[in-house]
Every structure is written in structure tokens, then in C-alpha cells.
């Protein structure tokens, strides 16, 4: 079988050096990669590096090898075009259909999925012109990965960093696997909660649970690859931020509720994959609780936490907003699941069986997704990403 053909477009930003790592990952995992740098990108990384790493000449202008009509052929033949880094200028050109060099021509002739990984200073990213260009590209079905937050060129920090090349590679892999119809969540905003809340007893102790956050992170990664704008509300997870998601870190159920409700205000779908503690200690001891010789420990008094899923379902922030819950059950999995779906009032409930050695921390899962319309979709044992894709299929179907 032919290797999948990937065009790596590189525009002129300091993050161009990180595209070398992305190129390596793509070629080492069996992709045939043509690098199309812009003229200004070559100020950061030279032609020799791109040619040596890709095994093809790196062409910038449409005037080179004209007999091969590269400005049409490269785009037409591609299975995926990924632009990393995509500067504000490149996003503007792409949004307006300008074609003044080989990369912009390639973007116009490509019939395959296109991924943009923007990198720029925070002010440029937040500028309304850039934001409108990004919205235009997303509406047309391109996957635009949200930049990461962190150190920028020089001493600045903020939103605008190119995400980790490994994470961009993962987005590319997923987009390629899904093919031309990959961006079915383009233009949608989805909110996902992940991980497990911790309810503090004192500054060093808490009541927690064993959720790793893997299923929620898999939902975030797959939603990014399907073109959605993603807000990930992460409770105490140690996993690396998924590329392209806005990550809001929280600790307790009360903090999680606040972050989820805020993000849900303009969301098309909310998926509650977090393990939220139903109870929290009634009293928080500001100093470490000490044992006292000869005294029995005081019982821990608990109070109820808000039920975020029930609250989201009862008061949808937008008409047609799809709300999805998860249920972890140890016995009578289906019967308990159906009862919970009715009680919580959500549209979909992903029910999985948990136990000492099952699901928690694992990269695999099996589940049945129950819907308010009475249907049930069984998802066989497999990667958490496969389950995530089934959830998004069902969500996308309900969004119409
Ligand atoms: N959930 C929530 N707020 C809570 C507790 C749970 O939003 N305070 C959400 C979880 O994110 C999950 C779903 O509700 O999507 C199911 O949680 P689960 O703990 O299985 O259900 P409970 O309502 O706690 O029922 P029980 O403990 O009786 O199984």
C-alpha cells in the first residue's frame, strides 16, 4: 500500500524549528511528507534541513519545477495538509483564499483534511481579525488547533505557543484515520470534564477517587481532531494537556461545577466524564489534623456536593445543547444505568463496569451508551479513544 501523503506547510515563525520534530514523527511512522515552507519560514529553518528530513526537495515558490505544475499537484495528491506553525498572516491568507506562494496555492487545491497549528504572540492571536479568520477556517471544515499557553519568544508568556509536536502529530494521525469527513464537529464548542475531584480535609489530606482522567482526555483529543473548539475541565489529572484544548484545572467538585457551568454557557455539548465526589467534608481544618494520644479519631462529617450533571441537564444553557454523563457501576450495570439516565435527565449516559482492576488508569474501556430515546450502543473492549469517537458520533447525530 502507498504511504499516506502529507504536506507539511511551515510559515515564518520561531516555532518553525519544532516542525522538524513533527516532520520526523510523520516520516518515522510511515508517511510520505512534502515540506512546503514559506519564504519567511526559511529564515528560521533552512531548505537543507527540510530536504534531508523529508527526503524530498522543499519547494517554496510556484516558479520552481514549473513543468510538474507543483502548485496544483501537491495539494491534489495530499491525504492531509498540516500547517505548523501557522502565523497570523498565514491564517489570514488561508481564510481569504489568497495564493501568492506554493503553500497558499496548495491550500486552495487541497481536497483533503487541513490542520492548522497556529503560533504567535498572544495579542496577535486574540486580535479580532485573527479570531474571525480562525472561525472562518473552522466553519469551512479545517481543524484549527488552539495554541498552548506558556513561554513565547523572549520573556513573554501567554497563549500562542505551538503545542508539543508529539501532540500535533496525534491530531494529524486521528484526522488522517477519519479521512475527508473528519471535521464533523467543526464550528462547535464542546466542554469535557475529566479526572477526579479531591475534597480537602486539611491542607495535606483529601477524600479522592481513582479516576486518572484518561477517558476525558481521550474525549478532548478526539474532539480536537474532529474540528471542535474544546474546553477541558481537568480535576487533578497528571496527564499532559491535549494539544488544541483549552484546559481549566480544578480541584474540588465546587470548583469543577463553577468551571463547567461557565464554559457550558455557549457550548453545543457538555460531557461529564469526571468522577465528581458526591460528598465533601463538612469542615475544613486550616491546620493539619493531629492525632492525640489515647483519643479515638473524630468521625468525618460529610455534606452533599452539587450534582453538576443533573444541574446541566435541568437548565440547558442553550436550546439543543447535548448533555452526556458517565456512570461507573459495579453491579446491575444496565439496570442501574437506565435508572441513572432517567434520574440525571441527560441525553446520553456512558455506562461502564468498574472494579479493582478495571477501567481506572487503563488505556482501554468497554461500555454501553444509553440514550434518552431508549436506544443502546454497545462499544466493545478497546482503546478509550474508540469509545470517545462513538460518543462524538452520537453527539454529532443529535446536533444535526
Ligand atoms: N456527577 C456530577 N456531580 C456529582 C456527581 C456525579 O456531575 N456530584 C456526574 C459524573 O460526572 C457522571 C455522572 O454524574 O457523569 C454519574 O456519576 P456517578 O457517581 O456514577 O453517579 P451518582 O449520581 O453519584 O450515583 P451513585 O453514586 O448512586 O452511583
Amino acid at each position: 500500500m502507498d504511504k499516506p501523503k502529507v504536506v507539511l506547510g511551515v510559515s515564518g515563525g520561531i516555532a518553525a524549528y519544532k516542525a522538524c520534530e513533527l516532520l520526523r514523527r510523520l516520516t518515522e511512522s510511515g508517511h510520505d511528507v512534502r515540506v512546503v515552507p514559506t519564504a519567511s519560514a526559511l529564515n528560521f529553518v533552512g531548505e537543507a534541513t527540510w530536504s534531508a528530513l523529508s527526503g524530498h526537495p522543499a519547494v517554496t515558490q510556484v516558479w520552481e519545477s514549473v513543468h510538474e505544475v507543483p502548485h496544483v499537484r501537491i495539494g491534489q495528491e495530499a491525504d492531509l495538509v498540516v500547517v505548523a506553525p501557522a502565523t497570523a498572516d498565514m491564517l489570514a491568507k488561508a481564510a481569504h483564499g489568497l495564493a501568492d506562494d506554493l503553500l497558499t496555492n496548495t491550500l486552495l487545491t487541497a481536497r483533503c483534511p487541513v490542520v492548522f497549528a497556529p503560533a504567535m504572540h498572544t495579542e496577535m492571536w486574540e486580535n479580532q481579525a485573527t479570531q474571525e479568520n480562525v472561525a472562518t477556517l473552522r466553519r469551512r471544515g479545517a481543524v484549527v488547533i488552539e495554541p498552548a499557553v506558556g513561554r513565547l519568544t523572549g520573556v513573554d508568556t501567554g497563549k500562542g505557543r505551538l503545542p508539543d509536536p508529539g501532540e500535533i502529530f496525534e491530531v494529524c494521525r486521528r484526522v488522517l484515520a477519519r479521512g475527508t469527513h473528519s471535521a464533523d464537529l467543526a464550528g462547535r464548542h464542546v466542554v469535557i470534564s475529566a479526572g477526579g475531584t479531591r475534597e480537602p480535609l486539611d491542607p495535606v489530606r483529601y477524600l479522592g477517587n481513582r479516576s486518572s482522567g484518561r477517558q476525558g482526555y481521550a474525549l478532548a483529543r478526539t474532539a480536537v481532531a474532529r474540528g471542535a473548539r474544546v474546553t477541558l475541565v481537568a480535576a487533578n489529572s497528571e496527564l499532559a494537556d491535549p494539544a488544541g484544548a483549552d484546559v481549566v484545572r480544578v480541584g474540588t467538585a465546587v470548583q469543577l461545577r463553577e468551571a463547567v457551568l461557565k464554559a457550558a454557557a455557549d457550548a453545543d455539548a457538555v460531557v461529564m466524564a469526571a468522577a465528581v465526589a458526591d460528598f465533601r467534608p463538612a469542615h475544613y481544618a486550616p491546620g493539619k489534623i493531629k492525632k492525640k494520644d489515647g483519643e479515638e479519631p473524630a468521625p468525618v462529617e460529610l455534606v452533599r456536593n452539587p450534582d453538576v450533571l443533573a444541574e446541566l441537564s435541568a437548565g440547558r444553557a442553550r436550546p439543543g445543547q447535548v448533555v452526556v454523563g458517565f456512570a461507573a457501576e459495579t453491579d446491575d450495570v444496565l439496570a442501574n444505568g437506565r435508572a441513572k439516565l432517567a434520574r440525571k435527565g441527560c441525553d446520553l449516559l456512558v455506562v461502564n463496569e468498574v472494579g479493582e482492576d478495571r477501567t481506572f488508569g487503563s488505556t482501554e474501556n468497554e461500555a454501553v451508551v444509553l440514550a434518552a430515546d431508549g436506544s443502546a450502543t454497545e462499544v466493545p473492549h478497546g482503546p478509550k479513544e474508540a469509545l470517545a469517537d462513538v460518543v462524538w458520533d452520537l453527539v454529532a447525530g443529535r446536533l444535526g
Side-chain angles (χ1 to χ4, degrees):
M1 228 172 73
D2 280 352
K3 289 178 172 179
K5 288 189 165 53
V6 177
V7 173
L8 170 60
V10 186
S11 51
I14 184 70
Y17 78 91
K18 293 192 194 168
C20 302
E21 174 65 22
L22 175 61
L23 173 56
R24 267 209 107 92
R25 297 235 183 179
L26 286 164
T27 51
E28 282 172 8
S29 55
H31 301 87
D32 182 17
V33 189
R34 299 288 303 235
V35 183
V36 183
T38 62
S40 49
L42 295 179
N43 290 320
F44 294 97
V45 179
E47 201 270 334
T49 303
W50 301 124
S51 305
L53 288 177
S54 69
H56 294 291
V59 182
T60 298
Q61 297 302 334
V62 292
W63 310 116
E64 294 165 54
S65 314
V66 175
H67 62 288
E68 290 172 1
V69 206
H71 73 287
V72 177
R73 197 177 42 77
I74 292 178
Q76 277 176 339
E77 290 179 355
D79 297 303
L80 173 77
V81 178
V82 50
V83 185
T87 58
D89 181 64
M90 178 50 59
L91 296 173
K93 283 182 173 152
H96 290 84
L98 298 188
D100 60 358
D101 63 5
L102 187 57
L103 178 53
T104 44
N105 272 274
T106 300
L107 286 169
L108 280 188
T109 50
R111 292 285 171 273
C112 58
V114 178
V115 174
F116 291 94
M120 64 197 74
H121 269 80
T122 311
E123 293 81 357
M124 295 173 93
W125 172 251
E126 288 176 352
N127 188 290
Q128 206 176 340
T130 306
Q131 286 300 308
E132 284 175 18
N133 290 331
V134 168
T136 300
L137 292 167
R138 284 184 172 148
R139 201 174 54 246
R140 292 187 194 137
V143 173
V144 185
I145 303 175
E146 287 286 311
V149 177
R151 183 86 184 261
L152 304 170
T153 329
V155 293
D156 300 1
T157 57
K159 188 165 183 175
R161 259 172 83 89
L162 190 75
D164 179 61
E167 288 286 330
I168 302 173
F169 168 72
E170 286 300 317
V171 174
C172 293
R173 198 175 57 74
R174 285 188 190 98
V175 171
L176 262 171
R178 289 184 58 79
T180 341
H181 302 295
S182 63
D184 59 348
L185 295 175
R188 304 290 190 179
H189 177 209
V190 303
V191 179
I192 300 145
S193 70
T197 66
R198 289 181 185 172
E199 311 298 325
L201 280 154
D202 67 17
V204 292
R205 304 184 180 97
Y206 56 83
L207 299 181
N209 60 68
R210 298 170 55 202
S211 175
S212 67
R214 281 184 210 283
Q215 185 61 62
Y217 277 58
L219 281 155
R221 289 202 168 90
T222 46
V224 167
R226 292 171 79 144
R229 177 161 77 82
V230 177
T231 306
L232 176 65
V233 178
N236 309 299
S237 176
E238 284 170 10
L239 302 174
D241 287 359
D246 273 323
V247 183
V248 184
R249 297 198 173 271
V250 296
T252 65
V254 169
Q255 289 166 355
L256 181 138
R257 171 183 174 273
E258 195 184 313
V260 168
L261 293 187
K262 186 168 169 224
D266 71 347
D268 297 286
V270 186
V271 182
M272 286 291 299
V276 185
D278 290 317
F279 307 100
R280 66 176 181 274
H283 307 287
Y284 172 73
K288 189 179 166 202
I289 299 166
K290 301 294 246 183
K291 58 184 172 302
K292 296 196 184 95
D293 281 345
E295 266 185 36
E296 288 299 309
V300 177
E301 192 190 333
L302 299 173
V303 291
R304 283 294 283 260
N305 268 330
D307 187 327
V308 189
L309 178 60
E311 193 173 341
L312 284 164
S313 306
R316 314 256 166 165
R318 290 175 68 164
Q321 186 178 69
V322 180
V323 178
V324 184
F326 271 72
E329 302 290 348
T330 49
D331 337 82
D332 281 341
V333 176
L334 276 187
N336 281 334
R338 287 210 181 277
K340 196 169 283 181
L341 175 71
R343 199 165 64 241
K344 302 254 185 181
C346 48
D347 300 291
L348 298 167
L349 189 75
V350 184
V351 189
N352 50 46
E353 196 172 344
V354 292
E356 283 283 311
D357 305 319
R358 301 178 70 153
T359 301
F360 287 117
S362 146
T363 53
E364 306 223 318
N365 209 346
E366 67 182 279
V368 52
V369 188
L370 304 178
D373 62 16
S375 64
T377 308
E378 283 201 37
V379 187
H381 190 81
K384 287 186 172 174
E385 280 182 13
L387 172 57
D389 268 322
V390 172
V391 171
W392 294 128
D393 289 345
L394 294 167
V395 168
R398 279 159 180 78
L399 289 171

